Each structure stands twice: as structure tokens, then as C-alpha cells.
Amino acid sequence: MTDALELDALWEDFHRAVNMTSQELAAWLRVSEADESSEPLPEHAGEPTGQHVLAILQKRRTDLTDEDIEVMYEVVDTVAAEADVENEPQAEDSLRRHRLMTVGHDPLRR
């Protein structure tokens, strides 16, 4: 398990990277998986990582598992790797935006 100081830093980094609320993320996961004829059940909507992020958002820090911590590191690293410091995100960059929204980060949000 991660030590307390490292976990505190990760918790803050994760919540800074994940800038969508749990309700927004849940809605996005449902929409992203829907097609013309059906919409998945809420608990089955979206990629596994997105579902895990949603579960983490609904937990207290003291309830995190080792798997939660791994996913938190993955999300923080993913968002950091996708961040473009030089340029503001563009609305037409929809594939990148949708990929990031799947893990709870909307690059168009400040």
C-alpha cells in the first residue's frame, strides 16, 4: 500500500485530473456507449477504467483499494500525457476530448 503522504498527493492529483463530477461521468459513459437502438445499463456503461474512476469518485480516501490506487495513477498519468501546455484544447479535437472524458477529464473545462 502507498504511504499516507504519497496517498494524499495522489488523491489531490487524481481529483485535479478528474474534473467531471460523478454524475457527469456516469452520464457520459452511458452516452458514449449508446447506439441508435439501445443504451446500456448504467452499471455496464463505458470502458472498465471509466467505471472504475466512477467508483473511486464515490469512495472516501480511507476506503481505497490497491487496485483503486493503480487506476488513480493511470488516470493522472493519462491526463498529464494528453495535456498540451502550449495550446488550448479545441472543440473540434473531439476524439481526444472523448478519450479523456472516458476517464473523467473534460479538456474544455477550466
Side-chain angles (χ1 to χ4, degrees):
M1 188 83 169
T2 309
D3 71 23
L5 289 176
E6 189 176 347
L7 183 58
D8 288 346
L10 176 60
W11 181 262
E12 288 181 25
D13 290 345
F14 176 79
H15 282 87
R16 195 173 10 261
V18 176
N19 63 3
M20 296 170 67
T21 66
S22 58
Q23 294 85 4
E24 291 169 332
L25 178 56
W28 169 251
L29 293 174
R30 283 191 307 274
V31 168
S32 68
E33 288 286 307
D35 60 24
E36 292 178 11
S37 63
S38 68
E39 181 176 321
L41 295 172
E43 63 272 8
H44 298 291
E47 297 290 322
T49 302
Q51 283 294 322
H52 204 138
V53 169
L54 185 58
I56 292 168
L57 289 174
Q58 298 168 346
K59 289 185 175 188
R60 296 176 304 183
R61 187 180 334 198
T62 56
D63 296 332
L64 295 174
T65 65
D66 288 342
E67 187 178 1
D68 294 336
I69 291 169
E70 288 176 29
V71 169
M72 290 170 72
Y73 276 118
E74 178 184 329
V75 168
V76 169
D77 290 346
T78 298
V79 171
E82 291 279 346
D84 184 8
V85 180
E86 300 283 325
N87 299 312
E88 291 292 318
Q90 302 297 314
E92 58 270 4
D93 191 8
S94 62
L95 289 177
R96 177 178 168 269
R97 180 178 184 225
H98 292 171
R99 187 172 55 250
L100 286 168
M101 287 175 69
T102 300
V103 297
H105 179 80
D106 185 349
L108 297 182
R109 181 174 291 169
R110 284 272 178 206

